[in-house]
Amino acid sequence: MNQNCATIERVPPGQPVHQLEPQEGRKLVGNIQIPPQPEIVRALMNERVSDNPDLQRIAKLIGNDVGLTAAVLKAVNSPLYGLRHKIVSIQHAISMLGMKNVGTLVMGLAMRNSVPAEGMERFWESSSRTAQLAYKLARHLGLPIADEAQLYALFHDSAMPLLLQRFPGYRETLAMISATAHIEITELEDRRHDTNHAVVGGLLASNWGLPDSIREAIKWHHDPLIFIRDGVSSEVLSLIALGHIAEKIEETISRRLNDCAWEEFGASSLYQLMLKVDELQDFIDSAQEQFGGSDD
């Protein structure tokens, strides 16, 4: 294993992962200020599940917020989306990218605005790239969960800024995480803060009305035994796998490599999606061409 991977004591193999009791969950909600679901997010979630989404209503809701509109247009015109022509309006963005794609982008921006933690710009940029890569990978593999994969990848680590707000020492924890295997991240958080971002992320996803499969994937995405546990749906496993692979691709193109996570989940994620190593490398090469690398 990569010698840079942290070596804190692990939970013994096979030991059950701690699950929050309702009372514990309520206590966490009280101690950590989990932002309520914004009106725009509520409207978007309703339209996502509608047989006849009202695109004009969504465009109007976004357009009523000048700051949000500017942020959406800036994002969709970035290399992340690789569009040939400049998008000049929310209606144009929806027609080009689809309501769900734009909706996920808006939800990410809403999350960022709801948790104004300082020094997290790179985190949010990385989350956005990872979400778009998960979407593209799911589409490439012909999976019917591309929209869900994008939303999951965007939100799966979103509780980290919340923990940064709540715990003064969490910035030091974030620094330690960069050299810590994914299976150990939540253990490290538990030891230092008596909770972790997977648990809090599940509560956030519930507060924001995200689909059950996404909430489950967020809750379990650091569990080393998740791919062999009974009773876990194929959709949840595929979301987790897409997230880990998208993170691997994002870390490669942004030159912030951490092999620890890939050593823990890489093989299982590839197997879950029946993705070969050479196919993954081809996808990485394509992503590097599109994004042209990222800031160090």
Side-chain angles (χ1 to χ4, degrees), residues 68-142:
L68 182 58
T69 298
V72 170
L73 294 179
K74 179 180 178 180
V76 298
N77 284 309
S78 72
L80 185 66
Y81 288 88
L83 299 177
R84 295 182 179 181
H85 304 290
K86 186 176 181 179
I87 302 296
V88 297
S89 69
I90 297 299
Q91 291 90 338
H92 191 194
I94 292 175
S95 67
M96 290 294 294
L97 299 174
M99 190 276 291
K100 288 186 177 181
N101 212 330
V102 173
T104 299
L105 171 61
V106 170
M107 282 188 273
L109 292 169
M111 182 73 246
R112 184 170 181 168
N113 292 336
S114 297
V115 191
E118 294 184 2
M120 295 296 284
E121 290 78 10
R122 180 170 288 181
F123 169 86
W124 292 116
E125 291 168 3
S126 176
S127 294
S128 295
R129 284 193 297 268
T130 300
Q132 188 65 8
L133 287 164
Y135 175 84
K136 289 180 178 292
L137 181 59
R139 291 286 299 271
H140 173 76
L141 295 174

Side-chain angles (χ1 to χ4, degrees), residues 27 29 47 50 54 74 87-89 94 97 116 120 144-146 170 178 197 216 224 236 243 245 249 251 274-275:
K27 183 178 179 181
V29 172
E47 296 300 333
S50 172
D54 189 341
K74 179 180 178 180
I87 302 296
V88 297
S89 69
I94 292 175
L97 299 174
M120 295 296 284
I145 56 170
Y170 192 71
S178 64
H197 76 276
E216 287 296 302
V236 169
I245 295 174
I249 298 168
E251 290 171 355
M274 300 182 68
L275 181 65

Side-chain angles (χ1 to χ4, degrees), residues 32-34 41 46 57 83 93 142 153 165 170 179 201 230 249 264 273 292-293:
I32 299 174
Q33 294 183 355
I34 295 179
V41 172
N46 288 337
R57 175 172 176 263
L83 299 177
Q165 282 188 329
Y170 192 71
D230 294 330
I249 298 168
E264 294 289 351
L273 300 178

